[in-house]
Amino acid sequence: MATEKKEKLLTPVGFIKFPKTVINDKEYGTIKVPQGLKETDVCSFKFQVVFDPKTPEAQALIKVLDEEHSQIKGANFKPYKKDQEKADDGTLKESGMIAINFTSSFAPKMIDSSLKECNIELGWGSKVRVKFVTKPVNNKGKVGLGRYTSVIQVIEPKSSGVDTSGFEASEGGFIAEAQAADWSE
C-alpha cells in the first residue's frame, strides 16, 4: 500500500521568538546546530515563528492548517495561535500577529536568502521562513496537528537572545568592546 506524501507548507517571512536548543541536557537560548552532532546525542530544537496574518500568503497557510485541523477527530489545540506581548502594566495583550510553534528532535537544515545551505545560530528576532510538514498527533491528551520543520530559510539572522527593538544607540555610553580592551592593557 503506497503512503501519501504530505505537501510541504511554507510560512511567510516572520521572526523567531523563544528559540531554544537542548543537546545532551545543555541548553542554548538560540537555534544552534553545532558541528559534529552524533546519532547518540539527544537533541531538541524549539522555536516560534510570528508573522502578519493579513498577507495573502499567510491567509492561504492559515486556511490549509484550519482544513487539516478540522479533519482530526477530537482535536483540542490549534496549529497556530494569536501572538501576545507584555503591555506596560505587565498584562498580556494580542499583538495582531499569528504564532506557530515548532519542535523537533532533528537538527533543522538551513539555507540563506540565495538558497545556499548554511549553518548559523538563530536568536530571538531572526527573520526566517520555515518549510514544514504536518501530521496528526496525540501527546498526553493534546490532540491536534503537529508541525515538523524540514528547512529554515534565514533572511536576517540575529545571534543574540536579546531583543533590542525600542532602544536607540547612546553616544558616550558603555561599549562592551571598549571595556574588554581596557582590561587587556
Side-chain angles (χ1 to χ4, degrees):
M1 184 164 128
T3 58
E4 181 182 327
K5 191 166 182 161
K6 290 287 288 183
E7 174 187 353
K8 291 191 178 173
L9 303 172
L10 191 62
T11 68
V13 173
F15 63 92
I16 289 179
K17 282 176 78 172
F18 309 112
K20 181 177 175 184
T21 299
V22 178
I23 300 173
N24 298 329
D25 296 325
K26 183 169 181 173
E27 196 170 299
Y28 305 90
T30 58
I31 303 302
K32 180 177 186 169
V33 183
Q35 299 295 325
L37 274 179
K38 300 178 216 79
E39 284 188 31
T40 56
D41 290 332
V42 179
C43 303
S44 172
F45 302 89
K46 300 177 182 184
F47 61 99
Q48 190 176 84
V49 174
V50 178
F51 55 89
D52 182 353
K54 297 177 192 104
T55 66
E57 185 179 23
Q59 290 177 1
L61 175 62
I62 290 168
K63 181 179 178 186
V64 169
L65 292 174
D66 283 342
E67 287 172 2
E68 289 185 13
H69 173 78
S70 70
Q71 295 173 12
I72 300 171
K73 186 174 182 169
N76 59 13
F77 76 91
K78 290 193 74 96
Y80 59 88
K81 61 185 177 181
K82 293 179 180 179
D83 181 53
Q84 296 184 329
E85 297 175 335
K86 199 174 268 190
D88 293 338
D89 64 1
T91 60
L92 292 177
K93 64 175 184 147
E94 289 183 9
S95 69
M97 305 287 265
I98 294 290
I100 298 179
N101 291 333
F102 293 96
T103 302
S104 176
S105 57
F106 298 101
K109 300 284 185 201
M110 294 184 201
I111 58 174
D112 65 15
S113 307
S114 69
L115 307 181
K116 182 179 154 199
E117 195 168 336
C118 64
N119 182 11
I120 62 170
E121 198 171 338
L122 298 175
W124 190 296
S126 295
K127 281 188 178 178
V128 297
R129 293 181 82 186
V130 178
K131 185 184 281 189
F132 65 102
V133 294
T134 60
K135 179 176 140 185
V137 295
N138 183 345
N139 184 8
K140 299 177 186 171
K142 286 188 168 186
V143 179
L145 199 58
R147 283 99 37 222
Y148 301 93
T149 307
S150 57
V151 180
I152 299 172
Q153 183 181 26
V154 181
I155 307 297
E156 183 181 313
K158 291 192 179 182
S159 60
S160 169
V162 178
D163 180 7
T164 59
S165 62
F167 287 96
E168 293 179 15
S170 259
E171 283 190 41
F174 171 77
I175 299 175
E177 296 87 57
Q179 181 71 17
D182 290 345
W183 282 95
S184 64
E185 296 178 342

